[in-house]
Amino acid sequence: MEHFGFDDEDLKQRHITNRVNAPRGGASAADGRVLEAEEEEEELTLKYGAKHVIMLFVPVTLCMAVVVATIKSVSFYSEKSDQQLIYTPFTENTASVGRRLLNSVLNSLVMTSVIVIMTVFLVLLYKYRCYKFIHGWLIVSSLMLLFMFSFMYLGEVFKTYNVAVDIPTVLVLVWNFGAVGMICIHWKGPLALQQLYLILISALMALVFIKYLPEWSAWVILGAVSIYDLLAVLCPKGPLRMLVETAQERNEPIFPALIYSSAMAWTVGMATPSDTQRSDTVSVCVFIVCVCGGEAVCVYLLYVCVCVCACVGGVKLGLGDFIFYSVLVGKASVTADWNTTLACFIAILIGLCVTLVLLAVWRKALPALPLSVTFGLVFYFSTDFLVRPFMDSLSDHQFYI
Amino acid sequence: MNLERLPNEEKLGLCRKYYLIGFAFLPFLWLVNVVWFFQEAFIKPAYSEQLQIKSYVKRSALGLLVWVTVLTTWITIFQRFRAEWGEVGDYISFTIPLGTP
């Protein structure tokens, strides 16, 4: 869910230059010049758009690359585990196919309803200005992600490569990673590092989903969440849309931490009042608490981010979008070969491109999940069931095209 | 966050805070401090706070070097002598490799 912004200052300059440089003429010539100026504005929008589309491709690709690289090398994340999240209570180890399908649909209904309830809860919190609560929630969630999941991840990587590591070194590594991450995300830090941390926590989250969601449920959940995204952002009574409208009414910037921004948008505290008024970003985060077997209670975080940015350039993409894209590509790489993985990756990028073009045309917050996930799912199933057997039998018969 | 848009006093304040927080066993933070403020401290033309920023960057770099030396030494010792330490070695291991040492 992103919104376009482009540099208004730059445009104003252009307008002024146009009017100054154009020769004085009659009414028809003036109309012609106005048209020209409008065309230039359109061109500028698209040019800025193209640059920022490319700037979004890089982090999305990076996130997916981290997830796929981990899955291919660390077997822990592709092993089936008996533990399931309490949000997918129906098991998939059933005898019949029909039963399994039913269970996965029920799982996705449970998961989606949890997300809806949490989002509505958060909208209410925001409406009644319980900012401290939300802020505390965000901090606890990022603490969990940065320390616990990275600790788990590091342990699995060391086990995979069969190296001996001592506890003090591990503690220093995890402490450094986590503390600098908290500082960069919630306080002040270099933009590149902040973006890198956001990419890494999205990848960690996606890996956890890939590990703990049962096979068929994961695919159905992807579909269900993208439908929910579509409804929540575009329907008049959707929670995310209400959130956006409340944020716009209040004209206040909060939670800049959990949106990936392609440009240096955060000028809060440094810019003039008019700038800060126009830069709002709201992030909605949903906590899902889960009990993993007999282990400690893990706090899973699902970010469903909506962003409204109308100022200093840059396109913003919510972390939830990163996570679900990576889940799709990660699942494709677990269960299928490289052809399918690449096909899904390209499908997601195509979807992202189309979404950003629509963003440039409509200029309001849009859901980023539906198009990309639809293309991704279509490509996954068609490649896995149609293209792969075709390529296999082609190479069986030594027929190269 | 863009350093360019900050006034000089705030840059100094940020550099100083990063330096001080790094004492909490955070050499990575010192590394970030050095890399981020390197251009400010050494490449930009002189301004009033630059001298202090330079000193903080140098001190962060020194602290980072000390930490790197200590860590490298410790890891080398651990990897070399872990098998010989027997029970104590296992006690302080996070992951123990499979197979013969």
Side-chain angles (χ1 to χ4, degrees):
Chain A
M1 295 137 278
E2 333 80 341
H3 186 89
F4 246 123
F6 49 89
D7 205 331
D8 283 331
E9 289 305 313
D10 212 36
L11 268 183
K12 277 188 216 145
Q13 286 294 320
R14 285 277 197 137
H15 272 290
I16 295 169
T17 345
N18 278 337
R19 285 190 202 123
V20 165
N21 290 341
R24 308 203 178 273
S28 53
D31 287 337
R33 257 175 280 131
V34 167
L35 264 172
E36 229 179 79
E38 275 175 13
E39 271 171 29
E40 268 209 51
E41 190 179 317
E42 282 289 315
E43 227 181 83
L44 257 174
T45 315
L46 289 176
K47 258 193 257 173
Y48 269 93
K51 186 169 83 167
H52 289 297
V53 167
I54 307 294
M55 280 161 84
L56 270 186
F57 273 11
V58 172
V60 171
T61 313
L62 216 60
C63 190
M64 291 197 255
V66 169
V67 170
V68 171
T70 309
I71 287 181
K72 290 293 182 188
S73 51
V74 179
S75 59
F76 173 74
Y77 288 103
S78 35
E79 282 161 5
K80 276 299 120 206
S81 87
D82 294 323
Q83 307 166 338
Q84 279 189 213
L85 305 176
I86 58 173
Y87 300 98
T88 51
F90 298 94
T91 176
E92 284 199 9
N93 291 330
T94 55
S96 73
V97 170
R99 180 86 206 162
R100 189 175 180 185
L101 193 62
L102 179 68
N103 279 357
S104 50
V105 171
L106 289 171
N107 275 340
S108 72
L109 281 175
V110 170
M111 185 82 148
T112 318
S113 47
V114 167
I115 294 176
V116 171
I117 294 171
M118 291 290 199
T119 316
V120 169
F121 179 49
L122 234 106
V123 171
L124 288 174
L125 279 179
Y126 183 58
K127 249 185 144 78
Y128 294 113
R129 299 176 189 265
C130 312
Y131 294 151
K132 282 210 156 85
F133 192 89
I134 299 180
H135 214 74
W137 215 7
L138 277 181
I139 291 189
V140 170
S141 84
S142 39
L143 265 174
M144 280 274 138
L145 266 174
L146 282 171
F147 287 103
M148 219 180 76
F149 290 160
S150 59
F151 183 73
M152 230 170 74
Y153 180 82
L154 211 59
E156 291 308 320
V157 167
F158 287 143
K159 277 185 210 154
T160 307
Y161 290 108
N162 214 21
V163 287
V165 191
D166 55 307
I167 297 180
T169 311
V170 168
L171 285 178
V172 166
L173 284 173
V174 171
W175 168 240
N176 271 274
F177 178 77
V180 177
M182 289 300 286
I183 291 175
C184 279
I185 295 175
H186 292 283
W187 189 50
K188 303 178 194 162
L191 183 72
L193 198 61
Q194 183 186 27
Q195 290 174 337
L196 191 67
Y197 266 106
L198 292 177
I199 293 172
L200 286 176
I201 65 179
S202 307
L204 278 175
M205 194 66 223
L207 283 168
V208 165
F209 273 138
I210 293 172
K211 166 109 184 141
Y212 289 111
L213 285 179
E215 289 241 8
W216 289 14
S217 305
W219 296 111
V220 184
I221 286 173
L222 272 172
V225 171
S226 36
I227 296 175
Y228 162 71
D229 194 11
L230 191 67
L231 295 173
V233 177
L234 294 179
C235 286
K237 280 296 169 191
L240 294 178
R241 179 149 169 175
M242 278 173 38
L243 201 59
V244 167
E245 281 163 7
T246 322
Q248 276 177 320
E249 273 167 42
R250 291 189 195 168
N251 258 331
E252 41 188 31
I254 53 169
F255 313 144
L258 299 164
I259 303 281
Y260 183 93
S261 168
S262 64
M264 318 247 190
W266 292 110
T267 58
V268 175
M270 302 167 226
T272 61
S274 56
D275 276 315
T276 49
Q277 263 167 21
R278 296 181 64 211
S279 68
D280 343 1
T281 301
V282 175
S283 75
V284 177
C285 43
V286 177
F287 270 78
I288 303 179
V289 177
C290 125
V291 178
C292 306
E295 292 165 11
V297 175
C298 320
V299 179
Y300 285 83
L301 179 70
L302 186 70
Y303 291 88
V304 180
C305 293
V306 170
C307 165
V308 177
C309 166
C311 69
V312 191
V315 186
K316 290 180 168 50
L317 191 61
L319 286 194
D321 301 321
F322 276 89
I323 294 173
F324 282 114
Y325 294 163
S326 308
V327 167
L328 203 154
V329 175
K331 276 226 98 60
S333 73
V334 167
T335 53
D337 63 340
W338 281 104
N339 280 331
T340 321
T341 314
L342 278 174
C344 288
F345 166 67
I346 303 233
I348 289 181
L349 287 186
I350 293 175
L352 189 60
C353 232
V354 174
T355 314
L356 290 172
V357 166
L358 288 177
L359 197 61
V361 169
W362 284 334
R363 309 222 183 155
K364 57 181 206 172
L366 284 183
L369 280 183
L371 274 172
S372 291
V373 168
T374 316
F375 287 167
L377 289 174
V378 163
F379 271 56
Y380 172 76
F381 287 111
S382 56
T383 316
D384 209 28
F385 292 119
L386 297 174
V387 177
R388 195 155 54 103
F390 178 60
M391 298 299 290
D392 285 344
S393 61
L394 274 186
S395 58
D396 275 347
H397 295 277
Q398 298 276 303
F399 190 77
Y400 297 107
I401 54 169
Chain B
M1 123 161 268
N2 196 356
L3 272 187
E4 307 290 324
R5 300 196 197 185
L6 283 179
N8 290 335
E9 307 83 46
E10 283 189 35
K11 278 187 222 167
L12 177 62
L14 200 57
C15 191
R16 188 168 165 273
K17 283 195 191 122
Y18 264 56
Y19 169 66
L20 290 175
I21 301 175
F23 277 107
F25 295 91
L26 288 171
F28 188 32
L29 198 63
W30 277 336
L31 177 67
V32 171
N33 201 11
V34 168
V35 171
W36 200 20
F37 282 97
F38 188 78
Q39 198 188 31
E40 286 292 322
F42 296 104
I43 301 183
K44 281 236 168 96
Y47 53 91
S48 52
E49 286 85 1
Q50 198 188 43
L51 211 58
Q52 288 174 290
I53 293 184
K54 227 187 258 196
S55 83
Y56 283 128
V57 169
K58 282 189 197 155
R59 281 188 254 175
S60 302
L62 187 65
L64 179 66
L65 206 62
V66 166
W67 261 100
V68 166
T69 331
V70 166
L71 267 178
T72 323
T73 326
W74 164 247
I75 291 175
T76 325
I77 296 177
F78 181 76
Q79 295 293 334
R80 171 75 181 81
F81 293 113
R82 180 190 58 84
E84 288 148 37
W85 284 344
E87 210 185 286
V88 177
D90 283 348
Y91 183 67
I92 56 174
S93 289
F94 177 58
T95 50
I96 301 175
L98 307 166
T100 49

